[in-house]
């Protein structure tokens, strides 16, 4: 953050023989809505500027096994780790209890919505965020699809993607707590019903052993 200065031409020195100058990048400052004297920085790069940054990152990451991957791969990777995303799985419709984020709450802290959270805690959860595996190899399952049990809607999928390492179609879904042990969960798509079953909280590397390597 900083003051409301106008956009400026950037001169950045990258590692190796790569560099960016005013011909390759424009450093533009955008004011934050509702905040005085603060701004976001938006860097607009030319194709040559993008290539210079890419080459620098690849060179710096050689010893760490850096590799290219598609942006949409993140959707698959995060579901295998059961990582929820704001705007998809984390919304104002569900509390931190339902989203498995209770560890982020401090009991002695004051925050907006605390009274409602205490009330919900006393009443008990109605739905909880879980990781179902959907029994299909070809159906293009997407988010916001209803989850059924015994012919009744018991939840909805928030995010869905194929987990390439576990070779399963996975979803982060809010499901009624009474239906979590049901053996007849189904996800409806294209007028049909696909069987689903709740898996572990984290289906790949649950103890983060790969991170410790």
């Amino acid at each position: 953050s900083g003051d409301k200065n106008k956009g400026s031409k950037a001169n950045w020195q990258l590692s190796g023989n790569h560099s960016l100058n005013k011909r390759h990048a424009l450093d533009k400052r955008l004011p934050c809505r509702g905040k005085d004297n603060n701004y976001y920085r938006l860097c607009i790069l030319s194709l040559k500027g993008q290539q210079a940054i890419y080459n620098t990152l690849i060179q710096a990451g050689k010893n760490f096994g850096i590799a290219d991957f598609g942006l949409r791969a993140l959707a698959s990777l995060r579901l295998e780790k059961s990582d929820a995303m704001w705007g998809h799985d984390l919304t104002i419709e569900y509390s931190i209890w339902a989203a498995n984020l209770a560890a982020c709450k401090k009991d002695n802290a004051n925050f907006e919505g605390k009274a409602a959270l205490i009330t919900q805690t006393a009443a008990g959860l109605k739905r909880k965020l879980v990781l179902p595996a959907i029994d299909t190899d070809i159906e293009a399952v997407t988010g916001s699809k209803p989850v059924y049990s015994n012919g009744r809607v018991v939840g909805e999928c928030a995010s869905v993607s194929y987990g390439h390492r576990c070779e399963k179609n996975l979803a982060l879904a809010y499901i009624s707590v009474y239906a979590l042990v049901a053996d007849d969960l189904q996800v409806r798509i294209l007028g049909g019903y696909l069987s689903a079953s709740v898996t572990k909280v984290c289906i790949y590397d649950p103890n983060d052993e790969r991170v410790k390597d």
Side-chain angles (χ1 to χ4, degrees):
S1 63
D3 55 27
K4 296 180 180 178
N5 293 334
K6 295 181 180 179
S8 60
K9 294 295 180 66
N11 286 272
W12 300 330
Q13 183 63 44
L14 305 181
S15 63
N17 297 321
H18 309 298
S19 64
L20 291 179
N21 56 44
K22 61 184 180 181
R23 294 175 301 168
H24 305 142
L26 175 65
D27 185 13
K28 187 174 180 58
R29 299 177 180 184
L30 303 177
C32 299
R33 189 179 299 276
K35 290 183 177 291
D36 293 332
N37 299 321
N38 285 331
Y39 60 84
Y40 292 112
R41 300 189 69 171
L42 175 65
C43 298
I44 305 173
L45 300 176
S46 67
L47 291 178
K48 186 172 182 179
Q50 295 174 36
Q51 187 64 51
I53 288 182
Y54 172 82
N55 291 339
T56 297
L57 293 174
I58 292 298
Q59 182 66 32
K62 271 187 176 181
N63 294 335
F64 301 97
I66 192 171
D68 296 319
F69 67 91
L71 182 61
R72 289 185 179 272
L74 293 177
S76 170
L77 297 171
R78 75 177 183 85
L79 259 64
E80 290 182 318
K81 296 293 291 180
S82 193
D83 288 340
M85 178 185 292
W86 173 252
H88 288 268
D89 321 298
L90 306 177
T91 70
I92 60 174
E93 297 179 14
Y94 294 100
S95 71
I96 58 175
W97 294 117
N100 304 316
L101 295 177
C104 300
K105 180 184 72 68
K106 293 184 178 180
D107 293 332
N108 59 348
N110 291 318
F111 53 89
E112 187 173 350
K114 183 175 182 178
L117 187 63
I118 293 174
T119 300
Q120 184 190 73
T121 303
L125 282 178
K126 294 183 178 180
R127 289 188 176 186
K128 189 174 179 64
L129 187 65
V130 294
L131 184 71
I134 303 172
D135 186 16
T136 179
D137 293 327
I138 59 174
E139 296 284 1
V141 183
T142 59
S144 301
K145 298 302 181 183
V147 180
Y148 287 78
S149 175
N150 195 27
R152 298 175 56 189
V153 175
V154 296
E156 65 175 346
C157 296
S159 295
V160 182
S161 185
Y162 184 78
H164 293 274
R165 292 173 295 187
C166 64
E167 298 183 341
K168 295 179 183 293
N169 273 287
L170 302 173
L172 279 172
Y174 284 96
I175 297 179
S176 298
V177 292
Y178 73 82
L180 294 179
V181 295
D183 58 4
D184 65 341
L185 291 179
Q186 294 178 312
V187 176
R188 186 175 184 181
I189 178 173
L190 301 177
Y193 294 85
L194 304 174
S195 298
S197 58
V198 176
T199 67
K200 304 174 183 177
V201 174
C202 176
I203 201 169
Y204 179 79
D205 190 26
N207 298 320
D208 292 331
E209 296 297 332
R210 293 294 303 275
V211 178
K212 301 171 186 176
D213 290 344

